[in-house]
Amino acid sequence: MAKSKKLDTWEEIKKKFPSQWVAIRDVKFDKNSYLSAGTVFCNEKNKSLFINKAKQLRQELGIEKELTAQRFTGEFKPLRTWEIDENEAIL
């Protein structure tokens, strides 16, 4: 009998690949449909590079896109933060 591969939990993936885009195969979801575990096959800090690299690796490894998940392991930050002084007029 083949030994099954241990999947990384989402928490382990976030620790191994901080603030990176990851492509995950062997995806498992919890009862609320949140990603709970899987195997990372592609990681990259730059989203544009990630998209191209993940697509290429999926093709090379013969992985169907529908059987993968892509996630960002960091926090999304707003592009701009607006602070308005309560005494300023908004135009």
Side-chain angles (χ1 to χ4, degrees), residues 41 52-63:
F41 69 91
N52 294 327
K53 187 176 172 182
K55 181 179 179 181
Q56 180 181 357
L57 283 172
R58 267 197 313 272
Q59 291 173 345
E60 289 175 10
L61 297 171
I63 302 169

Side-chain angles (χ1 to χ4, degrees), residues 3-20:
K3 194 174 188 179
S4 63
K5 210 169 30 167
K6 179 195 173 291
L7 302 177
D8 289 325
T9 67
W10 175 238
E11 293 304 317
E12 291 169 333
I13 292 169
K14 291 192 300 185
K15 286 179 185 175
K16 287 181 181 180
F17 306 99
S19 296
Q20 294 185 45

Side-chain angles (χ1 to χ4, degrees), residues 29-88:
F29 296 94
D30 66 16
K31 65 181 179 179
N32 297 314
S33 299
Y34 291 109
L35 188 139
S36 62
T39 304
V40 174
F41 69 91
C42 179
N43 64 292
E44 185 65 57
K45 289 188 180 213
N46 179 288
K47 186 177 181 182
S48 296
L49 294 175
F50 167 76
I51 291 168
N52 294 327
K53 187 176 172 182
K55 181 179 179 181
Q56 180 181 357
L57 283 172
R58 267 197 313 272
Q59 291 173 345
E60 289 175 10
L61 297 171
I63 302 169
E64 293 181 44
K65 184 176 181 179
E66 293 77 21
L67 302 177
T68 66
Q70 293 78 39
R71 299 288 188 276
F72 183 67
T73 61
E75 293 184 30
F76 287 103
K77 297 177 184 171
L79 295 176
R80 295 184 181 156
T81 303
W82 298 94
E83 291 185 23
I84 300 174
D85 183 329
E86 64 185 44
N87 296 320
E88 286 182 36

